[in-house]
Amino acid sequence: METFDVDVKSTQKSLLLLSERELFAGRNEYSINLLSNDYALEDLNSPSTTQIFAKFPQFYENQDVEISLKKAICFWLESNTSTLCQFQVLSIGITALLKFVQHNWSGPDADERLSWLRSYLGAELDEDFNNIISSKLILDGESVISVTKHLEYLVLARAALLTELPDLDTSLWWRFRCLFLHQQVLEEKSPILHDEMHSLEEKLLHCEDLKKDKVLNTLLHLELAHMHLFYHEVQPSGQILKTAVESAGLNISLTGALGKRTRFQQRNLAQLVLDVQSSEATTIVSTLPLKELPKDLKLDDETRLDAIAFSNSDDGKYSTLTPLQQACTQKCQPKDKLADEELLAYLSCLLGQPQVWSFQMSCLMFRSKIESNHSRTVERSMTQAQALVDAVNASTPGAWQRLFMIFCSYMPPRWCLEEELANLLVSLGCINSALDIYLRLHCWEEVIACYNHLKLRHKAEEIIRQELDKKETVKLWCLLGDATDNVEYYEKAWNLSNMRSARAQRHWGLYFFHRKQYGEAIPHLQESLSHNSLQTTLWFQLGYASLQHEDWTSAATAYRRCCFLDPENFEAWNNLAKAYVKLGQKNRAWKALQEALKWDFENWRVWENYLLVSLDCAVMDEVIRAYHRILDLKEKHVDVEVLEILGRAIIDNLPDCDGEPCGRLLDKSLALLGRVTAQVTNNWKVWRVYSRLTSALQNPTPESEVRAVQHLQKAHRCAIADASWVNDNDLCLQVIDLSEELANVTTACASKCSNNKQVLSLLSSAKLSLKSTLTKIKQQRLDLLTGQVDQALLPQFTSLEAHLERISCFNTQ
């Protein structure tokens, strides 16, 4: 009995790792069910397999292939309940799934079909067989990508792996893999698969047998991290990946080392490198010869070096890592140039130790994408992409060597490699060459773009109509609508899908969206999202349309969902804050802007929004911090209203959002005003705020009081610098008010100052300022009939004359 358990567990573990060496080294009755003697997967057309599905024709009355296959399996298991029989079903599911991966991911190609299933379905032609199978794999209205090969293996894998096998814990893991592969061959993300995989994640993480095995625990976390990243769930992915790294006994960090990147570089500069420290090693190794790995092409450039030449020969060298530890050092595709540099450091580590076929493929693909953006490396990028496409189509190495650890390798389907090659050709201006690839891959959106670039838009319509004549699909009708700007085709697509296609409604809504007809676009966008809620970009577009339509509630809902799906989208957080402000929910807007700043710390417009909302929420310390940050980014920034409100709150010692008195921020606000006035010297209102805050010091000194007067004198000079002020009633009244304030502050300072010389200087300056103001008003605003200034200014003018007389008397004293 003990040997029985050991055989089950060891075989299941070897299968999860897809370790050919371990599987074939320890053959037992379980591995024999899966493997033939020639190092290949067992034939799914064998009598033992067809016996399990003998009842399939009886269950196929409902025309659902997968359900009928599953019923046949359950019927067979009712009379064959042993663990070995359950393992036989699991083996069928694994074999079918791996054959599906071989045909659509790793290669090499093999001409094989499920002959018994084809005969049961009565499909004589390949096209009819494919249509029957593909129609049953549609989820949430999303079809399978048309170039996917041998979908019958995916259907068979789903039927076997979604069957309950209570004696085999690892069946849940294979079910997870099956669902994730299904998701990757759908045109859009499926909420159904998303929810099912998250449910499986909870079960797998609580499985005790997997927790106890460090290797399997690490591998599981790597695959879960990949799934979360696929759905743009960055934070959960990062947390799970961190657990995997710790489980693998690794300590990974980025550091710097001096080196050169070009042949003619004179000085060594700091270069970003990966520091990898391993505390332990696992026993999993690959036996694949280097010559059978995808070829890493060398950079042949007259200026740039193929690799960084470090000044210290030990830099850039890494201790040998096992394949599992290499998997932990993989990093997702970056979003900006700084992240490009980080990713290149990870890729250099992995490409320096080529071991695993799938790792080498994904690493070279990521490097090719990064290098496509640089003129010195774009040529290698294209040739490397072509080499990767050739590697998948090559006859060597064998299938098992390619499948090793493929589920945690981030390797995309083979058509994505070809599409990436076509994208590179487009970037280099080779439109016709790229067009041939796009046509072969049925990338109709890119085909339309190429024809538009070639000024052959009518040709795009012809191609799509030709495809529609072969077979009507929702996607083709939508693309025909895009090519002809005819909304009737979107309606045809919608009706063809029996009112279930998220794509049809999306294209329909975006037709109006791009023409700024937001009221017409909103219902279609909402309908699309009701069928597929994982369309992150569409949530953003719905939010924007709702903002423009002034539907603040719908905008907030859309942006909330967008931020949930893509937490790093600072624009979504920023626009969510705007919707909250319009709804009067300023505290929620403030928190949303904090999230926006996490992901775009260098955007002064987001900081300005944060500044204004912080002011509305009375978070005064953040107002000062935000203003400083804007000055860091813009150098010059003046918002008089903000400074006046901040100054008034501090002078009156008003409570902030936490009930704390704002007077405690006086020193910080003075530092801010000092910085603002150093950059913008001609705004009189800013100088007045600066003067008032200087006068508000709790323990004023003669020097601080003199500074307050001087700031106000500068304010007065700036206010009257433009001679037009005297002809504008409002400006004229403001200048009179400023002059009176100058008189009051000056006399108050003079009454306390013991330096007579300084007192005379201050009073004389104030007297001249007031006289100048009064003289200009008399010259420009005097009524010749009455001999007095305008009635609108007379009371204030008379008051200013009294202040001048008082200063004169004070000066005489």
Side-chain angles (χ1 to χ4, degrees):
M1 185 67 181
E2 185 176 347
T3 304
F4 169 84
D5 292 335
V6 170
D7 286 347
V8 174
K9 291 182 178 179
S10 64
T11 304
Q12 288 188 85
K13 178 178 179 179
S14 300
L15 280 172
L16 287 170
L17 297 170
L18 294 177
S19 173
E20 172 197 20
R21 180 178 179 180
E22 294 188 10
L23 277 170
F24 287 96
R27 299 297 297 272
N28 55 57
E29 59 182 326
Y30 296 98
S31 59
I32 289 172
N33 277 289
L34 181 79
L35 306 166
S36 64
N37 292 323
D38 57 351
Y39 284 70
L41 292 166
E42 190 61 59
D43 183 11
L44 290 175
N45 291 308
S46 65
S48 59
T49 299
T50 54
Q51 180 184 359
I52 295 176
F53 297 100
K55 291 291 183 180
F56 172 79
Q58 299 178 20
F59 295 122
Y60 189 56
E61 297 177 358
N62 59 6
Q63 301 298 305
D64 192 307
V65 179
E66 182 185 322
I67 293 177
S68 302
L69 289 171
K70 191 174 180 181
K71 285 183 177 180
I73 292 172
C74 293
F75 181 84
W76 184 79
L77 284 175
E78 286 178 1
S79 55
N80 300 273
T81 59
S82 67
T83 302
L84 183 60
C85 292
Q86 292 183 36
F87 190 85
Q88 191 172 348
V89 172
L90 178 64
S91 298
I92 290 172
I94 294 173
T95 303
L97 192 66
L98 295 181
K99 284 183 179 292
F100 182 68
V101 172
Q102 178 183 340
H103 286 294
N104 293 284
W105 269 264
S106 62
D109 286 327
D111 187 17
E112 50 189 351
R113 288 280 186 180
L114 292 178
S115 56
W116 57 270
L117 180 59
R118 184 168 178 170
S119 62
Y120 286 158
L121 297 178
E124 297 182 2
L125 301 175
D126 287 346
E127 185 178 354
D128 294 336
F129 186 52
N130 291 334
N131 289 339
I132 293 172
I133 299 297
S134 62
S135 65
K136 303 307 177 183
L137 290 170
I138 296 174
L139 284 177
D140 295 303
E142 301 298 342
S143 301
V144 175
I145 295 171
S146 58
V147 292
T148 310
K149 299 179 180 179
H150 294 282
L151 287 169
E152 66 272 16
Y153 288 122
L154 179 58
V155 170
L156 181 59
R158 281 182 57 92
L161 297 176
L162 268 63
T163 300
E164 294 298 327
L165 304 173
D167 295 343
L168 304 172
D169 292 338
T170 59
S171 64
L172 296 179
W173 195 337
W174 282 105
R175 185 182 304 174
F176 172 85
R177 289 175 169 179
C178 179
L179 296 178
F180 193 27
L181 290 178
H182 188 180
Q183 171 62 88
Q184 291 180 71
V185 298
L186 290 179
E187 292 180 341
E188 300 287 345
K189 294 178 176 63
S190 164
I192 291 176
L193 292 175
H194 176 268
D195 294 342
E196 288 181 358
M197 281 189 280
H198 277 68
S199 176
L200 284 171
E201 177 184 12
E202 292 296 320
K203 296 177 181 178
L204 288 168
L205 289 175
H206 289 89
C207 181
E208 292 299 327
D209 287 341
L210 295 179
K211 285 183 181 179
K212 294 175 183 177
D213 192 306
K214 185 172 290 189
V215 172
L216 292 181
N217 187 50
T218 302
L219 185 63
L220 173 62
H221 281 80
L222 289 171
E223 294 186 26
L224 292 175
H226 187 187
M227 181 269 293
H228 282 289
L229 200 60
F230 182 87
Y231 287 108
H232 304 293
E233 297 166 351
V234 179
Q235 292 177 341
S237 176
Q239 293 170 357
I240 293 173
L241 187 58
K242 182 180 178 181
T243 303
V245 170
E246 292 173 353
S247 178
L250 291 176
N251 184 16
I252 303 174
S253 61
L254 288 165
T255 186
L258 293 176
K260 298 176 182 178
R261 288 199 175 192
T262 65
R263 301 181 190 277
F264 309 107
Q265 190 173 330
Q266 298 297 316
R267 292 190 306 114
N268 288 306
L269 299 175
Q271 309 292 338
L272 197 62
V273 294
L274 197 66
D275 181 20
V276 184
Q277 303 295 330
S278 175
S279 62
E280 57 184 87
T282 59
T283 56
I284 308 171
V285 294
S286 174
T287 57
L288 191 63
L290 182 62
K291 64 180 181 180
E292 294 191 3
L293 289 169
K295 188 175 181 181
D296 181 1
L297 301 180
K298 300 303 178 185
L299 180 63
D300 183 16
D301 185 74
E302 60 185 10
T303 300
R304 190 161 180 172
L305 295 170
D306 180 55
I308 299 172
F310 292 101
S311 58
N312 186 342
S313 58
D314 292 333
D315 291 331
K317 293 183 178 179
Y318 308 96
S319 57
T320 303
L321 302 176
T322 66
L324 189 64
Q325 289 173 331
Q326 283 192 333
C328 294
T329 63
Q330 293 183 104
K331 194 173 175 69
C332 63
Q333 189 174 358
K335 292 186 176 181
D336 51 51
K337 291 183 179 179
L338 179 61
D340 281 353
E341 293 298 322
E342 292 184 10
L343 182 54
L344 282 172
Y346 282 84
L347 294 177
S348 297
C349 174
L350 291 169
L351 292 173
Q353 309 182 23
Q355 296 186 59
V356 181
W357 189 90
S358 57
F359 291 177
Q360 187 81 346
M361 287 290 294
S362 58
C363 288
L364 291 173
M365 182 201 66
F366 283 133
R367 190 186 68 182
S368 179
K369 284 186 176 182
I370 295 172
E371 292 188 341
S372 66
N373 300 317
H374 303 278
S375 59
R376 292 287 180 188
T377 54
V378 66
E379 184 177 351
R380 176 170 73 166
S381 174
M382 186 190 69
T383 53
Q384 185 69 74
Q386 181 64 63
L388 295 179
V389 172
D390 295 340
V392 174
N393 296 326
S395 57
T396 58
W400 272 108
Q401 287 86 353
R402 302 186 190 209
L403 291 171
F404 179 56
M405 300 196 76
I406 196 169
F407 290 103
C408 64
S409 68
Y410 294 89
M411 182 180 171
R414 59 196 305 173
W415 56 83
C416 291
L417 295 173
E418 295 188 61
E419 188 176 346
E420 183 61 29
L421 174 61
N423 294 340
L424 284 165
L425 290 170
V426 169
S427 69
L428 292 172
C430 305
I431 307 299
N432 286 310
S433 298
L435 183 58
D436 292 338
I437 299 175
Y438 288 139
L439 286 169
R440 187 174 71 253
L441 298 179
H442 300 174
C443 298
W444 304 120
E445 292 98 328
E446 288 76 12
V447 168
I448 293 172
C450 285
Y451 279 128
N452 287 339
H453 184 84
L454 296 170
K455 298 181 180 180
L456 297 170
R457 192 179 185 191
H458 65 282
K459 190 68 176 176
E461 182 181 351
E462 290 177 16
I463 293 291
I464 295 171
R465 289 190 183 278
Q466 288 175 13
E467 294 298 320
L468 279 169
D469 290 339
K470 298 176 186 176
K471 182 185 177 182
E472 286 187 306
T473 66
V474 170
K475 182 177 181 179
L476 287 172
W477 278 118
C478 289
L479 293 175
L480 184 60
D482 293 344
T484 60
D485 296 329
N486 190 339
V487 295
E488 292 181 3
Y489 296 132
Y490 302 133
E491 188 172 1
K492 286 186 177 181
W494 178 241
N495 293 331
L496 182 64
S497 70
N498 295 321
M499 288 70 176
R500 293 174 54 199
S501 172
R503 174 186 284 274
Q505 287 292 338
R506 180 174 72 248
H507 282 257
W508 204 343
L510 292 178
Y511 171 85
F512 295 112
F513 180 88
H514 294 311
R515 288 159 179 77
K516 299 184 179 180
Q517 299 173 8
Y518 300 115
E520 290 84 351
I522 289 172
H524 295 292
L525 299 180
Q526 290 174 331
E527 183 69 27
S528 177
L529 289 163
S530 69
H531 290 276
N532 188 343
S533 60
L534 296 178
Q535 301 177 85
T536 307
T537 303
L538 204 65
W539 280 114
F540 186 91
Q541 291 164 325
L542 174 60
Y544 183 82
S546 299
L547 279 183
Q548 299 303 312
H549 198 57
E550 298 186 357
D551 184 352
W552 315 122
T553 301
S554 296
T557 301
Y559 281 124
R560 266 199 309 271
R561 184 62 179 170
C562 180
C563 292
F564 175 78
L565 293 172
D566 185 8
E568 295 186 12
N569 189 335
F570 82 93
E571 290 180 283
W573 286 111
N574 187 64
N575 292 353
L576 175 60
K578 180 179 179 179
Y580 281 146
V581 168
K582 294 293 185 180
L583 290 169
Q585 301 174 13
K586 293 181 180 178
N587 286 329
R588 298 181 77 178
W590 184 71
K591 292 179 180 178
L593 285 169
Q594 283 186 314
E595 291 295 324
L597 290 172
K598 282 183 184 178
W599 307 115
D600 194 358
F601 199 71
E602 305 299 320
N603 192 320
W604 70 266
R605 290 183 176 83
V606 180
W607 277 105
E608 186 176 35
N609 293 339
Y610 182 64
L611 168 70
L612 297 175
V613 175
S614 295
L615 190 66
D616 283 342
C617 295
V619 191
M620 294 305 181
D621 50 348
E622 288 298 293
V623 171
I624 296 172
R625 173 173 170 261
Y627 209 120
H628 274 297
R629 184 60 187 154
I630 294 172
L631 292 176
D632 292 339
L633 298 171
K634 283 186 67 180
E635 293 186 0
K636 292 184 179 181
H637 179 77
V638 177
D639 194 322
V640 175
E641 187 177 359
V642 168
L643 294 173
E644 287 180 338
I645 294 172
L646 176 63
R648 193 158 53 246
I650 291 173
I651 293 169
D652 296 341
N653 204 21
L654 299 175
D656 64 7
C657 60
D658 296 323
E660 297 290 330
C662 290
R664 62 190 170 84
L665 301 173
L666 179 58
D667 290 340
K668 290 183 178 180
S669 63
L670 285 172
L672 173 63
L673 265 296
R675 189 177 178 188
V676 173
T677 52
Q679 296 174 347
V680 182
T681 60
N682 61 350
N683 192 300
W684 69 270
K685 292 183 178 181
V686 176
W687 281 110
R688 183 174 64 180
V689 174
Y690 198 8
S691 173
R692 289 175 177 177
L693 285 170
T694 306
S695 299
L697 288 168
Q698 291 184 350
N699 299 309
T701 62
E703 291 78 11
S704 67
E705 292 182 341
V706 170
R707 283 200 304 273
V709 176
Q710 291 172 341
H711 295 337
L712 212 52
Q713 288 174 344
K714 291 179 181 178
H716 190 272
R717 286 197 293 271
C718 294
I720 64 173
D722 186 354
S724 63
W725 67 269
V726 74
N727 297 315
D728 186 300
N729 275 357
D730 290 336
L731 281 177
C732 195
L733 290 172
Q734 289 179 25
V735 171
I736 292 173
D737 182 64
L738 178 64
S739 301
E740 290 181 346
E741 185 174 351
L742 175 60
N744 292 331
V745 173
T746 303
T747 54
C749 178
S751 64
K752 298 177 183 178
C753 187
S754 58
N755 188 332
N756 291 331
K757 186 177 180 180
Q758 194 171 43
V759 168
L760 288 174
S761 176
L762 293 174
L763 292 172
S764 297
S765 179
K767 185 178 178 180
L768 287 172
S769 297
L770 267 63
K771 277 187 176 181
S772 174
T773 303
L774 291 168
T775 300
K776 288 183 179 179
I777 293 174
K778 285 180 181 179
Q779 290 174 348
Q780 301 292 329
R781 305 300 295 272
L782 191 67
D783 191 330
L784 297 178
L785 294 176
T786 62
Q788 294 181 331
V789 298
D790 290 349
Q791 288 296 320
L793 304 175
L794 185 58
Q796 290 79 7
F797 182 83
T798 304
S799 176
L800 186 58
E801 287 182 320
H803 278 83
L804 176 61
E805 184 177 350
R806 183 162 62 88
I807 286 181
S808 299
C809 293
F810 195 100
N811 196 8
T812 303
Q813 295 174 2

